[in-house]
Coordinates of all heavy atoms in Angstrom, one line a residue:
F1 N -11.3 169.6 214.1 CA -10.9 169.9 215.4 C -9.8 171.0 215.5 O -9.9 171.9 216.3 CB -10.3 168.6 216.1 CG -9.7 168.8 217.4 CD1 -10.5 169.0 218.5 CD2 -8.3 168.9 217.6 CE1 -10.0 169.2 219.8 CE2 -7.8 169.1 218.8 CZ -8.6 169.3 220.0
L2 N -8.8 170.9 214.7 CA -7.7 171.9 214.7 C -8.2 173.3 214.2 O -7.8 174.3 214.7 CB -6.6 171.5 213.8 CG -5.8 170.3 214.3 CD1 -4.8 169.8 213.3 CD2 -5.1 170.5 215.6
G3 N -9.2 173.3 213.3 CA -9.8 174.6 212.9 C -10.5 175.3 214.0 O -10.5 176.5 214.0
S4 N -11.1 174.6 214.9 CA -11.8 175.2 216.0 C -10.8 175.6 217.1 O -11.1 176.6 217.8 CB -12.9 174.3 216.6 OG -12.2 173.1 217.2
R5 N -9.7 174.9 217.2 CA -8.7 175.3 218.2 C -7.8 176.4 217.8 O -7.3 177.2 218.6 CB -7.9 174.1 218.6 CG -8.7 172.9 219.2 CD -9.2 173.3 220.6 NE -9.9 172.2 221.2 CZ -11.2 172.3 221.6 NH1 -11.9 173.4 221.4 NH2 -11.8 171.2 222.1
I6 N -7.5 176.4 216.5 CA -6.6 177.5 215.9 C -7.4 178.1 214.7 O -7.2 177.7 213.6 CB -5.3 176.9 215.5 CG1 -4.6 176.1 216.6 CG2 -4.3 178.0 214.9 CD1 -3.4 175.4 216.3
P7 N -8.2 179.1 215.0 CA -9.0 179.6 214.0 C -8.2 180.5 213.0 O -7.1 181.0 213.4 CB -10.1 180.4 214.7 CG -9.5 180.8 216.0 CD -8.5 179.6 216.3
G8 N -8.8 180.8 211.9 CA -8.1 181.7 211.0 C -7.7 181.0 209.7 O -8.1 179.9 209.4
A9 N -7.0 181.8 208.9 CA -6.5 181.3 207.6 C -5.1 181.8 207.4 O -4.6 182.7 208.1 CB -7.4 181.7 206.5
G10 N -4.4 181.3 206.4 CA -3.1 181.7 206.0 C -2.0 180.8 206.4 O -2.3 179.8 207.1
F11 N -0.8 181.1 205.9 CA 0.3 180.2 206.1 C 0.7 180.0 207.6 O 0.9 178.9 208.1 CB 1.5 180.7 205.3 CG 2.7 179.7 205.4 CD1 2.6 178.5 204.7 CD2 3.8 180.1 206.2 CE1 3.7 177.7 204.8 CE2 4.9 179.2 206.2 CZ 4.8 178.0 205.5
Q12 N 0.7 181.1 208.4 CA 1.0 181.0 209.8 C 0.1 180.2 210.6 O 0.5 179.4 211.5 CB 1.1 182.4 210.4 CG 2.3 183.2 210.0 CD 2.4 184.6 210.6 OE1 1.4 185.1 211.1 NE2 3.6 185.2 210.6
V13 N -1.2 180.3 210.3 CA -2.2 179.4 210.9 C -2.0 178.0 210.5 O -2.1 177.1 211.4 CB -3.6 179.9 210.6 CG1 -4.7 179.0 211.0 CG2 -3.9 181.3 211.2
A14 N -1.7 177.7 209.2 CA -1.5 176.4 208.8 C -0.3 175.8 209.5 O -0.3 174.6 209.8 CB -1.3 176.4 207.3
V15 N 0.8 176.5 209.7 CA 1.9 176.0 210.3 C 1.6 175.7 211.8 O 2.0 174.6 212.3 CB 3.1 177.0 210.3 CG1 4.2 176.6 211.2 CG2 3.6 177.1 208.8
K16 N 0.8 176.5 212.5 CA 0.4 176.2 213.8 C -0.4 174.9 213.9 O -0.2 174.1 214.8 CB -0.4 177.4 214.4 CG 0.5 178.6 214.7 CD -0.4 179.8 215.2 CE 0.4 181.0 215.4 NZ -0.4 182.2 215.8
R17 N -1.3 174.8 213.0 CA -2.2 173.6 213.0 C -1.3 172.3 212.7 O -1.5 171.3 213.4 CB -3.3 173.7 211.9 CG -4.3 174.7 212.3 CD -5.4 174.8 211.2 NE -6.3 175.8 211.5 CZ -7.2 176.3 210.6 NH1 -7.3 175.7 209.4 NH2 -8.1 177.2 211.0
M18 N -0.4 172.5 211.7 CA 0.4 171.3 211.4 C 1.3 171.0 212.6 O 1.5 169.8 212.9 CB 1.3 171.7 210.2 CG 2.2 170.6 209.7 SD 3.8 170.5 210.4 CE 4.5 172.1 210.0
A19 N 1.9 172.0 213.2 CA 2.8 171.7 214.4 C 2.0 171.0 215.5 O 2.5 170.0 216.1 CB 3.4 173.0 214.9
L20 N 0.8 171.5 215.8 CA 0.0 170.8 216.8 C -0.3 169.4 216.5 O -0.1 168.5 217.3 CB -1.3 171.6 217.1 CG -2.2 171.0 218.1 CD1 -1.6 171.0 219.5 CD2 -3.5 171.8 218.2
D21 N -0.7 169.2 215.2 CA -1.0 167.8 214.7 C 0.2 166.9 214.8 O 0.1 165.8 215.3 CB -1.5 167.9 213.3 CG -1.9 166.6 212.7 OD1 -2.7 165.9 213.4 OD2 -1.4 166.2 211.7
Q22 N 1.3 167.4 214.3 CA 2.5 166.5 214.1 C 3.4 166.4 215.4 O 4.1 165.4 215.6 CB 3.3 167.0 213.0 CG 2.6 166.7 211.6 CD 2.3 165.3 211.5 OE1 3.1 164.4 211.6 NE2 1.0 165.0 211.2
L23 N 3.4 167.4 216.2 CA 4.2 167.3 217.5 C 3.5 166.8 218.6 O 4.1 166.2 219.5 CB 4.8 168.7 217.8 CG 5.7 169.3 216.8 CD1 6.1 170.7 217.1 CD2 6.9 168.5 216.6
L24 N 2.2 166.9 218.7 CA 1.4 166.3 219.8 C 0.7 165.1 219.4 O 0.9 164.0 220.1 CB 0.4 167.4 220.3 CG -0.5 167.0 221.5 CD1 0.4 166.8 222.7 CD2 -1.5 168.1 221.7
F25 N -0.2 165.1 218.4 CA -1.0 164.0 218.1 C -0.3 162.8 217.4 O -0.4 161.7 217.8 CB -2.2 164.4 217.2 CG -3.1 165.4 217.8 CD1 -3.5 166.5 217.1 CD2 -3.5 165.3 219.1 CE1 -4.3 167.5 217.6 CE2 -4.4 166.2 219.7 CZ -4.7 167.3 218.9
A26 N 0.5 163.1 216.4 CA 1.2 162.0 215.6 C 2.1 161.1 216.5 O 1.9 159.9 216.4 CB 1.9 162.6 214.5
P27 N 3.0 161.6 217.3 CA 3.8 160.7 218.1 C 3.0 159.8 219.0 O 3.3 158.6 219.1 CB 4.7 161.6 218.9 CG 4.8 162.9 218.0 CD 3.4 163.0 217.5
C28 N 1.9 160.3 219.6 CA 1.1 159.5 220.5 C 0.3 158.5 219.6 O 0.2 157.3 220.1 CB 0.1 160.4 221.2 SG 0.9 161.6 222.3
F29 N -0.2 158.9 218.5 CA -1.0 158.0 217.7 C -0.1 156.8 217.2 O -0.6 155.7 217.1 CB -1.6 158.7 216.5 CG -2.6 157.9 215.8 CD1 -3.8 157.5 216.3 CD2 -2.3 157.4 214.5 CE1 -4.7 156.7 215.6 CE2 -3.2 156.7 213.8 CZ -4.4 156.3 214.4
I30 N 1.1 157.0 216.9 CA 2.0 156.0 216.4 C 2.2 154.9 217.5 O 2.2 153.7 217.3 CB 3.4 156.5 216.0 CG1 3.1 157.3 214.6 CG2 4.4 155.5 215.8 CD1 4.3 158.1 214.2
V31 N 2.2 155.4 218.8 CA 2.3 154.4 219.9 C 1.0 153.6 219.9 O 1.0 152.4 220.2 CB 2.5 155.1 221.2 CG1 2.3 154.2 222.4 CG2 3.9 155.8 221.3
V32 N -0.2 154.3 219.7 CA -1.4 153.5 219.7 C -1.5 152.5 218.6 O -1.9 151.4 218.8 CB -2.6 154.6 219.6 CG1 -3.9 153.8 219.3 CG2 -2.7 155.4 220.8
V33 N -1.0 152.9 217.4 CA -1.0 151.9 216.3 C -0.1 150.7 216.6 O -0.5 149.6 216.4 CB -0.5 152.6 215.0 CG1 -0.3 151.6 213.9 CG2 -1.6 153.6 214.5
F34 N 1.1 151.0 217.1 CA 2.0 149.9 217.5 C 1.4 149.0 218.5 O 1.5 147.8 218.5 CB 3.4 150.4 218.0 CG 4.3 150.9 216.9 CD1 4.0 150.9 215.6 CD2 5.6 151.3 217.2 CE1 4.9 151.3 214.6 CE2 6.5 151.7 216.3 CZ 6.2 151.7 214.9
S35 N 0.7 149.6 219.5 CA 0.1 148.8 220.6 C -1.0 148.0 220.1 O -1.2 146.8 220.5 CB -0.4 149.8 221.7 OG 0.7 150.5 222.2
A36 N -1.8 148.6 219.2 CA -3.0 147.8 218.6 C -2.5 146.6 217.8 O -3.0 145.5 217.9 CB -3.8 148.7 217.8
L37 N -1.4 146.8 217.0 CA -0.9 145.7 216.2 C -0.3 144.7 217.1 O -0.4 143.5 216.8 CB 0.2 146.3 215.2 CG -0.4 147.1 214.1 CD1 0.8 147.7 213.2 CD2 -1.3 146.2 213.2
A38 N 0.4 145.1 218.2 CA 1.0 144.1 219.1 C -0.1 143.3 219.7 O 0.0 142.1 219.9 CB 1.8 144.8 220.1
G39 N -1.2 143.9 220.1 CA -2.3 143.2 220.7 C -2.9 142.2 219.7 O -3.2 141.1 220.1
I40 N -3.2 142.6 218.5 CA -3.7 141.8 217.5 C -2.8 140.6 217.2 O -3.3 139.5 217.0 CB -4.0 142.6 216.2 CG1 -5.2 143.6 216.4 CG2 -4.3 141.7 215.0 CD1 -5.3 144.6 215.3
E41 N -1.5 140.8 217.2 CA -0.5 139.8 216.9 C -0.2 138.9 218.1 O 0.6 138.0 218.0 CB 0.7 140.4 216.3 CG 0.5 141.1 215.0 CD 1.7 141.9 214.5 OE1 2.6 142.1 215.3 OE2 1.6 142.4 213.4
G42 N -0.8 139.3 219.3 CA -0.6 138.4 220.5 C 0.8 138.6 221.1 O 1.3 137.8 221.8
R43 N 1.4 139.8 220.9 CA 2.8 140.0 221.5 C 2.6 140.5 222.9 O 1.6 141.1 223.3 CB 3.6 141.0 220.6 CG 4.0 140.3 219.3 CD 4.9 141.2 218.5 NE 4.1 142.2 217.7 CZ 4.4 143.5 217.6 NH1 5.5 144.0 218.2 NH2 3.7 144.2 216.9
T44 N 3.6 140.4 223.7 CA 3.6 140.8 225.1 C 4.0 142.3 225.2 O 4.5 142.9 224.2 CB 4.7 140.0 225.9 OG1 6.0 140.3 225.4 CG2 4.4 138.5 225.8
V45 N 3.8 142.8 226.4 CA 4.1 144.2 226.6 C 5.6 144.4 226.5 O 6.1 145.4 226.0 CB 3.6 144.6 228.0 CG1 4.2 146.0 228.4 CG2 2.1 144.6 228.1
V46 N 6.4 143.4 226.9 CA 7.9 143.5 226.8 C 8.3 143.6 225.3 O 9.1 144.4 224.9 CB 8.5 142.3 227.5 CG1 10.0 142.3 227.2 CG2 8.3 142.4 229.0
E47 N 7.6 142.8 224.5 CA 7.9 142.8 223.0 C 7.5 144.1 222.4 O 8.2 144.7 221.6 CB 7.2 141.7 222.3 CG 7.7 140.3 222.7 CD 6.9 139.2 222.1 OE1 5.6 139.2 222.2 OE2 7.5 138.2 221.7
L48 N 6.4 144.7 222.9 CA 5.9 146.0 222.4 C 6.9 147.1 222.8 O 7.3 147.9 222.0 CB 4.5 146.3 223.0 CG 4.0 147.8 222.7 CD1 3.9 148.0 221.3 CD2 2.7 148.0 223.5
E49 N 7.4 147.0 224.0 CA 8.4 148.0 224.5 C 9.6 147.9 223.7 O 10.2 149.0 223.3 CB 8.7 147.8 226.0 CG 7.6 148.2 226.9 CD 7.9 147.9 228.3 OE1 8.8 147.1 228.6 OE2 7.1 148.3 229.2
A50 N 10.1 146.7 223.3 CA 11.3 146.6 222.5 C 11.0 147.1 221.1 O 11.9 147.8 220.6 CB 11.6 145.1 222.4
Q51 N 9.8 146.9 220.5 CA 9.6 147.4 219.2 C 9.5 149.0 219.3 O 10.0 149.6 218.3 CB 8.2 146.9 218.7 CG 8.0 147.5 217.3 CD 6.6 147.2 216.8 OE1 5.7 146.7 217.5 NE2 6.4 147.4 215.5
L52 N 8.9 149.5 220.3 CA 8.8 151.0 220.4 C 10.2 151.6 220.5 O 10.5 152.6 219.8 CB 8.0 151.4 221.6 CG 6.4 151.2 221.4 CD1 5.7 151.4 222.7 CD2 5.9 152.1 220.3
K53 N 11.1 151.0 221.3 CA 12.5 151.5 221.4 C 13.2 151.4 220.1 O 14.0 152.3 219.7 CB 13.2 150.7 222.5 CG 12.8 151.0 223.9 CD 13.5 150.2 224.9 CE 13.0 150.5 226.3 NZ 13.6 149.7 227.3
K54 N 12.9 150.3 219.3 CA 13.6 150.1 218.1 C 13.1 151.0 216.9 O 13.8 151.5 216.2 CB 13.5 148.6 217.7 CG 14.2 148.3 216.4 CD 14.0 146.7 216.2 CE 14.3 146.4 214.7 NZ 13.2 146.0 214.0
D55 N 11.7 151.1 216.8 CA 11.1 151.6 215.6 C 10.4 153.0 215.8 O 10.1 153.6 214.8 CB 10.1 150.6 215.1 CG 10.7 149.3 214.6 OD1 11.9 149.3 214.2 OD2 10.0 148.3 214.7
W56 N 10.1 153.4 217.0 CA 9.2 154.6 217.2 C 9.8 155.8 216.6 O 9.2 156.5 215.8 CB 8.9 154.8 218.7 CG 8.0 156.0 218.9 CD1 6.7 156.0 218.8 CD2 8.5 157.3 219.3 NE1 6.3 157.3 219.1 CE2 7.3 158.1 219.4 CE3 9.7 157.8 219.5 CZ2 7.4 159.4 219.7 CZ3 9.8 159.2 219.9 CH2 8.6 159.9 220.0
S57 N 11.1 156.1 216.9 CA 11.7 157.4 216.4 C 11.8 157.4 214.9 O 11.5 158.5 214.3 CB 13.0 157.7 217.1 OG 13.9 156.6 216.8
N58 N 12.2 156.3 214.3 CA 12.3 156.3 212.8 C 10.9 156.4 212.2 O 10.8 157.1 211.1 CB 13.0 155.0 212.3 CG 14.4 155.0 212.6 OD1 15.1 156.1 212.7 ND2 15.0 153.8 212.8
T59 N 9.9 155.8 212.8 CA 8.5 155.9 212.3 C 8.0 157.4 212.4 O 7.4 157.9 211.5 CB 7.6 155.0 213.0 OG1 8.2 153.6 212.9 CG2 6.2 155.0 212.4
V60 N 8.3 158.0 213.5 CA 7.9 159.4 213.7 C 8.5 160.3 212.6 O 7.9 161.1 212.0 CB 8.2 159.9 215.1 CG1 8.0 161.4 215.2 CG2 7.3 159.2 216.1
V61 N 9.8 160.1 212.4 CA 10.5 160.9 211.4 C 9.9 160.7 210.0 O 9.7 161.6 209.2 CB 12.0 160.7 211.4 CG1 12.7 161.3 210.2 CG2 12.6 161.2 212.7
S62 N 9.7 159.4 209.7 CA 9.1 159.1 208.4 C 7.7 159.7 208.3 O 7.3 160.2 207.2 CB 9.0 157.5 208.2 OG 10.2 157.0 208.1
N63 N 6.9 159.6 209.4 CA 5.6 160.3 209.4 C 5.7 161.8 209.1 O 5.0 162.3 208.3 CB 5.0 160.1 210.8 CG 3.8 160.8 211.0 OD1 2.7 160.4 210.6 ND2 3.9 162.0 211.7
W64 N 6.7 162.4 209.7 CA 6.9 163.9 209.5 C 7.2 164.2 208.0 O 6.8 165.2 207.5 CB 7.9 164.4 210.4 CG 7.5 164.5 211.8 CD1 6.2 164.5 212.3 CD2 8.3 164.6 213.0 NE1 6.2 164.6 213.7 CE2 7.5 164.7 214.1 CE3 9.7 164.7 213.1 CZ2 8.0 164.8 215.4 CZ3 10.2 164.8 214.4 CH2 9.4 164.8 215.5
K65 N 8.0 163.3 207.4 CA 8.4 163.5 206.0 C 7.2 163.5 205.0 O 7.2 164.2 204.0 CB 9.4 162.5 205.5 CG 10.7 162.6 206.1 CD 11.7 161.5 205.7 CE 13.0 161.6 206.4 NZ 13.9 160.5 206.0
L66 N 6.2 162.7 205.4 CA 5.0 162.7 204.5 C 3.9 163.7 205.0 O 3.4 164.5 204.2 CB 4.4 161.3 204.5 CG 3.0 161.1 203.9 CD1 3.1 161.3 202.4 CD2 2.4 159.8 204.2
W67 N 3.6 163.7 206.3 CA 2.5 164.4 206.8 C 2.7 165.9 207.0 O 1.8 166.6 206.8 CB 2.0 163.8 208.2 CG 1.2 162.6 207.9 CD1 1.6 161.3 208.0 CD2 -0.2 162.5 207.5 NE1 0.5 160.4 207.7 CE2 -0.5 161.2 207.4 CE3 -1.1 163.5 207.2 CZ2 -1.8 160.8 207.0 CZ3 -2.4 163.1 206.8 CH2 -2.7 161.8 206.7
C68 N 3.9 166.3 207.3 CA 4.1 167.8 207.5 C 3.8 168.5 206.2 O 3.0 169.5 206.2 CB 5.5 168.1 208.0 SG 5.7 167.7 209.7
P69 N 4.4 168.1 205.0 CA 4.0 168.8 203.8 C 2.6 168.6 203.4 O 1.9 169.6 203.0 CB 4.9 168.2 202.7 CG 6.0 167.5 203.4 CD 5.5 167.2 204.8
A70 N 2.1 167.4 203.7 CA 0.7 167.1 203.3 C -0.3 168.0 204.1 O -1.3 168.6 203.6 CB 0.3 165.6 203.5
Q71 N 0.0 168.1 205.4 CA -0.9 169.0 206.2 C -0.8 170.4 205.9 O -1.8 171.2 206.0 CB -0.7 168.7 207.7 CG -1.1 167.3 208.2 CD -2.7 167.1 208.1 OE1 -3.3 167.3 207.0 NE2 -3.3 166.8 209.2
L72 N 0.4 170.9 205.6 CA 0.5 172.3 205.1 C -0.3 172.6 203.9 O -1.0 173.6 203.8 CB 2.0 172.7 204.9 CG 2.8 172.9 206.2 CD1 4.3 173.2 205.8 CD2 2.2 174.1 207.0
I73 N -0.2 171.6 202.9 CA -1.1 171.8 201.7 C -2.5 171.7 202.1 O -3.3 172.6 201.7 CB -0.7 170.6 200.7 CG1 0.7 170.9 200.1 CG2 -1.8 170.6 199.6 CD1 1.2 169.7 199.4
N74 N -2.9 170.8 203.0 CA -4.3 170.7 203.4 C -4.8 171.9 204.1 O -5.8 172.4 203.7 CB -4.3 169.5 204.4 CG -5.8 169.0 204.6 OD1 -6.7 169.3 203.9 ND2 -5.9 168.3 205.7
F75 N -4.0 172.4 205.0 CA -4.5 173.6 205.8 C -4.4 174.9 205.0 O -5.2 175.9 205.3 CB -3.8 173.7 207.1 CG -4.0 172.6 208.0 CD1 -2.9 172.1 208.8 CD2 -5.2 172.0 208.2 CE1 -3.1 171.0 209.6 CE2 -5.4 170.9 209.0 CZ -4.3 170.4 209.8
C76 N -3.5 175.0 204.0 CA -3.4 176.2 203.2 C -4.3 176.3 202.0 O -4.9 177.3 201.7 CB -2.0 176.3 202.7 SG -0.8 176.9 203.9
F77 N -4.5 175.1 201.3 CA -5.2 175.2 200.0 C -6.5 174.4 199.9 O -7.3 174.6 199.0 CB -4.2 174.6 199.0 CG -2.9 175.4 198.9 CD1 -1.7 174.8 199.3 CD2 -2.9 176.7 198.5 CE1 -0.5 175.5 199.2 CE2 -1.7 177.5 198.4 CZ -0.5 176.9 198.8
V78 N -6.7 173.4 200.8 CA -7.9 172.6 200.7 C -9.1 173.2 201.5 O -8.9 173.6 202.6 CB -7.6 171.2 201.2 CG1 -8.9 170.3 201.1 CG2 -6.5 170.5 200.4
P79 N -10.2 173.4 200.8 CA -11.4 174.0 201.6 C -11.7 173.1 202.8 O -11.5 171.9 202.7 CB -12.5 173.9 200.5 CG -11.9 173.8 199.2 CD -10.6 173.1 199.4
G80 N -12.2 173.7 203.8 CA -12.4 173.0 205.1 C -13.3 171.8 205.0 O -13.0 170.8 205.6
H81 N -14.3 171.9 204.1 CA -15.2 170.7 204.0 C -14.6 169.6 203.2 O -15.1 168.4 203.3 CB -16.5 171.1 203.3 CG -16.4 171.5 201.9 ND1 -15.9 172.7 201.4 CD2 -16.7 170.8 200.8 CE1 -15.9 172.8 200.1 NE2 -16.4 171.6 199.7
L82 N -13.4 169.7 202.6 CA -12.7 168.7 201.9 C -11.4 168.2 202.6 O -10.7 167.3 202.2 CB -12.4 169.1 200.5 CG -13.6 169.4 199.6 CD1 -13.1 169.9 198.3 CD2 -14.4 168.1 199.4
Q83 N -11.1 168.8 203.8 CA -9.8 168.5 204.4 C -9.8 167.1 205.0 O -8.7 166.4 204.9 CB -9.6 169.5 205.5 CG -9.2 170.9 205.0 CD -8.8 171.9 206.1 OE1 -9.0 171.6 207.3 NE2 -8.4 173.1 205.6
V84 N -10.9 166.6 205.5 CA -10.9 165.2 205.9 C -10.7 164.2 204.8 O -9.9 163.3 204.9 CB -12.2 164.9 206.7 CG1 -12.3 163.4 207.0 CG2 -12.3 165.7 208.0
L85 N -11.3 164.5 203.6 CA -11.1 163.7 202.5 C -9.7 163.7 202.0 O -9.1 162.6 201.7 CB -12.1 164.1 201.3 CG -12.0 163.4 200.0 CD1 -12.4 161.9 200.2 CD2 -12.9 164.0 199.0
F86 N -9.1 164.9 202.0 CA -7.7 165.0 201.6 C -6.8 164.1 202.6 O -5.9 163.4 202.1 CB -7.2 166.4 201.6 CG -5.8 166.6 201.2 CD1 -5.4 166.7 199.9 CD2 -4.8 166.7 202.2 CE1 -4.0 166.9 199.6 CE2 -3.5 166.9 201.9 CZ -3.1 167.0 200.6
S87 N -7.0 164.3 203.9 CA -6.3 163.6 204.9 C -6.5 162.1 204.7 O -5.5 161.3 204.9 CB -6.7 164.0 206.3 OG -6.3 165.3 206.5
N88 N -7.7 161.6 204.4 CA -7.9 160.2 204.2 C -7.1 159.7 203.0 O -6.6 158.5 203.0 CB -9.4 159.9 204.0 CG -10.2 160.0 205.2 OD1 -9.6 160.0 206.3 ND2 -11.5 160.2 205.1
G89 N -7.0 160.5 201.9 CA -6.1 160.1 200.8 C -4.7 159.9 201.2 O -4.0 158.9 200.8
V90 N -4.2 160.9 202.0 CA -2.8 160.8 202.4 C -2.6 159.6 203.4 O -1.6 158.9 203.4 CB -2.3 162.1 203.1 CG1 -0.9 162.0 203.7 CG2 -2.4 163.2 202.1
A91 N -3.6 159.4 204.2 CA -3.6 158.3 205.2 C -3.5 156.9 204.5 O -2.9 156.0 204.9 CB -4.8 158.3 206.1
L92 N -4.2 156.8 203.3 CA -4.1 155.6 202.6 C -2.7 155.3 202.2 O -2.2 154.2 202.3 CB -5.0 155.7 201.3 CG -5.0 154.5 200.4 CD1 -5.5 153.2 201.1 CD2 -5.8 154.7 199.1
I93 N -2.0 156.3 201.7 CA -0.6 156.2 201.3 C 0.3 155.8 202.5 O 1.1 154.9 202.5 CB -0.1 157.5 200.7 CG1 -0.8 157.8 199.4 CG2 1.5 157.5 200.5 CD1 -0.6 159.2 198.8
W94 N 0.0 156.5 203.6 CA 0.8 156.2 204.9 C 0.5 154.8 205.4 O 1.5 154.1 205.8 CB 0.4 157.2 205.9 CG 1.0 157.0 207.3 CD1 0.3 156.6 208.4 CD2 2.4 157.0 207.6 NE1 1.2 156.4 209.4 CE2 2.5 156.7 209.0 CE3 3.6 157.4 206.9 CZ2 3.7 156.7 209.7 CZ3 4.8 157.3 207.6 CH2 4.8 157.0 209.0
N95 N -0.7 154.4 205.3 CA -1.0 153.0 205.8 C -0.4 151.9 205.0 O 0.0 150.9 205.5 CB -2.5 152.9 206.0 CG -3.1 153.7 207.1 OD1 -2.4 154.0 208.1 ND2 -4.4 154.1 207.0
V96 N -0.4 152.2 203.7 CA 0.3 151.2 202.8 C 1.8 151.1 203.1 O 2.4 150.1 203.2 CB 0.1 151.6 201.3 CG1 1.0 150.7 200.4 CG2 -1.4 151.4 200.9
Y97 N 2.4 152.3 203.4 CA 3.8 152.3 203.8 C 4.0 151.6 205.1 O 5.0 150.9 205.2 CB 4.3 153.8 203.9 CG 5.6 154.0 204.5 CD1 6.8 153.7 203.7 CD2 5.8 154.4 205.8 CE1 8.0 153.8 204.3 CE2 7.0 154.5 206.4 CZ 8.2 154.2 205.6 OH 9.4 154.4 206.2
M98 N 3.2 151.9 206.1 CA 3.4 151.2 207.4 C 3.3 149.7 207.3 O 3.9 149.0 208.0 CB 2.3 151.7 208.4 CG 2.5 153.2 208.9 SD 3.8 153.4 210.0 CE 3.1 152.6 211.5

């Protein structure tokens, strides 16, 4: 998806793709994950809101510590047809951490 929205190659393109991914998609996706877990665990909306207020910002920062370097490596050095596989490997690490 990012390759079609931000075409090209090189470090500047990789930074743009990483920024779009991490500044737009990641913070929203973390809310989705917290919401899904709250639903599975049977928690209320009020409990979800409390968790988001408590944990969201720290989770986003932790996400950036792993994913920003990983996505720069991915977009700079990994061939396009292997980028999803690389991301899945990083996601496994992230999901174990979460």
Side-chain angles (χ1 to χ4, degrees):
F1 173 79
L2 292 173
S4 67
R5 298 291 183 238
I6 304 172
F11 185 73
Q12 289 180 339
V13 170
V15 169
K16 288 178 185 177
R17 289 179 185 169
M18 183 270 303
L20 180 61
D21 180 55
Q22 291 303 307
L23 297 175
L24 181 64
F25 299 133
C28 297
F29 188 68
I30 289 170
V31 171
V32 170
V33 169
F34 280 5
S35 300
L37 288 174
I40 290 168
E41 294 169 353
R43 289 187 277 136
T44 66
V45 173
V46 172
E47 291 171 320
L48 171 61
E49 289 174 350
Q51 181 189 13
L52 287 170
K53 287 178 184 174
K54 178 179 164 246
D55 296 333
W56 180 82
S57 60
N58 289 333
T59 305
V60 170
V61 170
S62 295
N63 172 79
W64 289 340
K65 289 177 184 178
L66 174 68
W67 280 102
C68 288
Q71 289 295 58
L72 281 177
I73 291 167
N74 194 20
F75 297 140
C76 282
F77 303 112
V78 178
H81 69 283
L82 297 175
Q83 287 181 355
V84 171
L85 180 62
F86 179 85
S87 292
N88 286 341
V90 176
L92 177 63
I93 296 166
W94 174 248
N95 290 334
V96 168
Y97 170 77
M98 287 285 288

